[in-house]
Amino acid sequence: MATAAATSASEPEAEPKAGPKAEGEEEEVKAARTRRKVLSRAVAAATCKTMGPGWDQQEEGMSESDGDEEYAMASSAESSPGEYEWEYDEEEEKNQLEIERLEEQLSINVYDYNCHVDLIRLLRLEGELTKVRMARQKMSEIFPLTEELWLEWLHDEISMALDGLDREHVYDLFEKAVKDYICPNIWLEYGQYSVGGIGQKGGLEKVRSVFERALSSVGLHMTKGLAIWEAYREFESAIVEAARLEKVHSLFRRQLAIPLYDMEATFAEYEEWSEDPIPESVIQSYNKALQQLEKYKPYEEALLQAEAPRLAEYQAYIDFEVKIGDPARIQLIFERALVENCLVPDLWIRYSQYLDRHLKVKDLVLSVHNRAVRNCPWTVALWTRYLLAMERHGVDHRVISDSSKELEELRAAFTRALEYLKQEVEERFNESGDPSCMIMQNWARMEARLCNNMQKARELWDSIMTKGNAKYANMWLEYYNLERAHGDTQHCRKALHRAVQCTSDYPEHVCEVLLTMERTEGTLEDWDVAVQKTETRLARVNEQRIKAAEKEAALTQQEEEKAEQRKRARAEKKALKKKKKTRAGDKRKADEGEEKEWGDDEEEQPSKRRRLGNSVPPAGDAQGLEAQTGLFGKSAPGDVDSPSKQKERAAALKRDMPKVLHDSSKDSITVFVSNLPYSMGEPAAQLRPLFEACGEVVDVRPIFSSRGDFRGYCYVEFKEERSAQQALELDRKDVEGRPMFVSPCVDKSKNPDFKVFRYSTALEKHKLFVSGLPFSCTKEELEEICKAHGTVKDIRLVTNRAGKPKGLAYVEYENESQASQAVLKMDGMTIKENVIKVAISNPPQRKVPEKPEARRAPGGPMVPRQMYGARGKGRTQLSLLPRALQRTSAPAAQAENGPAPQPAATAATEAPKMSNADFAKLLLRK
């Protein structure tokens, strides 16, 4: 059909009425077009086999329409002779020039992957069957081909296969294709194509062999393995044999034991197909596979949602499979990852390392190593691992060296490597490709150890030292060790003497090695010469180091001076800027004063000053303000300083104050006061009257920052220790709207575990913990609500460091009974649209690491942390046991500061068990 269409399309062109082209050229054009049509129709036929008959009909219609279009174009060519031929000639000539350019480029660099791909595309477009086959063959020898390239090649070859020899050629191509990457689609094509040769000798065995190998390779593939299983089952079902039923049964059972997508449909199909009930063992294997599928689904879904190359998702999947430890599945996930990340050397290294350490199968290991160096030939580590693997598995040395003249080729390889580094790296990038000269070192080591050619080794080491390595001690010691192992003492001595003169990084080490050698092997004269040379050299090195240190110190000093100059310049610039701003403010105030003098009867608005927190202007400032105020409250502008000047003067005064030093020997008579308002003008003067109520105050030492600002804390020193203890009672006292914290003065560097908390952290049955309070709720309002349920002894609203309420409170009742009644009545109550929660006070213990021996009483069982657990008996901490059944224990002293002492074992735990009748008597007794 394709040939007929091509012929019919070219017939109108055979007898053109007129045109500039000669008859011979027209024949060449027609032949080229025919070749292109043959190739394109062959590819279409191959695609038709996979797409189905509907596609064939569609293509046939397209071919006929194409023929009609070509006929129309040819007819139009009769009316406009030569137009189409000229257009086609231009396109063909352009393609030919591009093909020639690509071939020339490949002759220069055969490793240009994109050139190979473009050349194959153009040759296939031009219908050059022989050339496109050769181009593909060359590319496959250098690079592994992708799935798309292989399928395109295979479809072309299948469409042109006519006899058994061509079929064998296609089989060989399939064998090469499945070795590059794991490709389920190629395996499926291979199996379907082998079905076409079932009529030949051994055809049935060939088909089954291909499908079995496909299942071994990709049968575990979660998303694409299902197609292989179904194709194999359909093939076996189509064979008319007595044993085919058992074969299909076996395939169903094998498939259902593997976690694959759409397993439920396969199981339902097996139930419908099988005439007998499914065995219990098959159902168990199926259920187990379903459970495994649920574990794999998150990783498969992550791959489906991510975009290629999805390296991170594959890495996570690989880690999961390695953790499970199934070798077949680990190999499969590595192969799947390498399809999209074939140019990632680390992934190849990890895959080959796993095979080397765990599977150790010769053919598999060597195949993976070979594919790794084909994909990443620039990675030295992959070549090294490949060579080690070949040696480990006993590969013939001729295969590894691939030459009978190993030594000559090895030297030639070293020479080529050095020339390449010189030409391609050093001259092009102005950098050394081998700064440590590792290639030359290995070459010299090979000459000395394997060839006993120390002369060549010394020449190589001379070249190494001339490349700027003579100043490094480790290079000289490497050469010295080589001479010690394979040379003589004279050359060792010569090398060390040269090292002493040239080494600049660690000359002491080289001198020590020289003296050690002369001490053990040299004569007295050799020793004297070595001592003289080493002392002279080390003295010179010390002088150089002193000069270098002085130079560095001078440079450092210069940098510090420059930094100081910059700092002073910034300070002067900042001061100048402030001065300009102050002048502008004074001028503006003077203008305002003049305007007011011209009859402005309104009261002067107070000047806006930046206030800090709850600050109140000091008395001195108030007097100054009063003195500056004139008649009718108007200010005298001439005598008022600007706010910036006042602030600078205050800051200067505070900077002049000496730093506060605390004497730790006076900790017992000193208290530490913190959380004070930063706006306090004279902290010492304001705090002294407050603390003098506790006893005689020796000193109040407030702490200021480097800028002169009060930092909110101070030290208060008393004359007597009793006064300091009494001052602790002022803790949480309100000072200018903030709770003042007063605590003992303790050096925390010496006592890191010291903690101060004035409230109990144990269970208190007479105290309630209230949460969820509105922030606007006052102590008086809460007391009004709580006193309806008993006598309230104390109420404490919890605040933060700034004195702002946190919506929490502690309410202390006279006894436990009143507290219990208050919990039942108040829990869940609404206060100002806030639902509060009320419970017996039992703060959770802080998570402090405890020593094991601290939790166990000596000679007794483990002591519980608290009497009622982390939060006691439920959320409200209420005991719902009737009073008649409760056994009172000995009252324990309540600790005011710190946790209460641990209660002894309750008597209830020691009481004998009671029957239902005993409980009934107790209840009737009430």
Side-chain angles (χ1 to χ4, degrees), residues 102-314:
L102 292 173
E103 289 177 345
E104 183 181 358
Q105 182 69 21
L106 288 175
S107 66
I108 298 173
N109 181 15
V110 73
Y111 294 100
D112 193 332
Y113 185 89
N114 293 328
C115 278
H116 282 284
V117 175
D118 294 339
L119 179 60
I120 292 171
R121 178 180 58 80
L122 287 175
L123 290 174
R124 189 168 185 265
L125 182 64
E126 291 297 316
E128 300 287 348
L129 303 181
T130 305
K131 288 186 177 181
V132 74
R133 182 179 290 173
M134 293 176 60
R136 284 166 168 166
Q137 186 67 29
K138 286 182 180 180
M139 185 178 180
S140 66
E141 291 173 358
I142 301 173
F143 299 106
L145 304 186
T146 62
E147 181 180 3
E148 293 77 11
L149 292 175
W150 272 118
L151 288 175
E152 183 182 74
W153 189 0
L154 290 167
H155 288 161
D156 292 349
E157 294 292 342
I158 289 172
S159 64
M160 293 183 291
L162 301 177
D163 53 12
L165 294 176
D166 293 339
R167 179 171 287 274
E168 290 298 326
H169 173 66
V170 175
Y171 283 154
D172 293 339
L173 277 183
F174 270 115
E175 290 296 332
K176 291 180 181 179
V178 297
K179 289 179 181 178
D180 278 349
Y181 301 108
I182 179 173
C183 300
N185 293 332
I186 294 180
W187 276 111
L188 188 60
E189 285 282 339
Y190 194 6
Q192 292 176 348
Y193 181 73
S194 63
V195 172
I198 194 173
Q200 297 180 355
K201 184 179 179 180
L204 180 60
E205 289 75 12
K206 175 69 175 177
V207 176
R208 285 178 173 169
S209 173
V210 170
F211 274 115
E212 287 294 339
R213 289 171 56 200
L215 291 180
S216 300
S217 179
V218 297
L220 297 177
H221 200 297
M222 298 282 292
T223 56
K224 297 183 179 180
L226 181 63
I228 305 294
W229 287 99
E230 290 180 348
Y232 195 6
R233 285 205 316 272
E234 290 175 2
F235 166 73
E236 291 291 347
S237 300
I239 299 176
V240 182
E241 287 184 0
R244 71 177 181 86
L245 293 177
E246 186 57 34
K247 186 70 175 178
V248 176
H249 273 292
S250 176
L251 288 174
F252 267 118
R253 294 169 184 173
R254 288 167 59 188
Q255 180 182 352
L256 291 174
I258 298 173
L260 297 172
Y261 271 37
D262 206 15
M263 289 185 63
E264 296 82 357
T266 305
F267 185 77
E269 182 182 352
Y270 186 28
E271 286 182 324
E272 183 179 355
W273 181 85
S274 177
E275 298 177 355
D276 301 327
I278 300 177
E280 186 64 28
S281 59
V282 177
I283 297 176
Q284 292 179 358
S285 300
Y286 167 70
N287 292 329
K288 184 178 179 181
L290 281 177
Q291 295 176 359
Q292 293 176 350
L293 179 63
E294 293 300 322
K295 297 179 181 179
Y296 289 111
K297 272 187 177 180
Y299 298 95
E300 292 290 344
E301 291 174 357
L303 290 176
L304 293 175
Q305 295 173 3
E307 296 181 358
R310 303 178 284 193
L311 180 59
E313 289 76 14
Y314 275 119

Side-chain angles (χ1 to χ4, degrees), residues 25-37:
E25 293 178 351
E26 293 175 358
E27 292 296 333
E28 292 179 1
V29 171
K30 289 191 290 182
R33 295 186 64 211
T34 303
R35 287 197 303 271
R36 282 204 306 151
K37 288 292 184 180

Side-chain angles (χ1 to χ4, degrees), residues 326-375:
D326 187 351
R329 299 198 66 88
I330 294 173
Q331 183 183 353
L332 175 67
I333 192 59
F334 268 117
E335 293 288 352
R336 289 177 61 184
L338 288 169
V339 171
E340 299 182 16
N341 301 275
C342 59
L343 300 181
V344 180
D346 292 341
L347 192 59
W348 283 107
I349 291 175
R350 186 178 181 186
Y351 186 22
S352 60
Q353 184 176 358
Y354 172 79
L355 296 177
D356 288 336
R357 294 181 179 179
H358 296 87
L359 294 187
K360 302 179 182 180
V361 179
K362 177 180 177 179
D363 295 337
L364 176 61
V365 170
L366 295 180
S367 172
V368 172
H369 279 291
N370 183 34
R371 291 163 53 206
V373 297
R374 290 187 68 202
N375 281 273

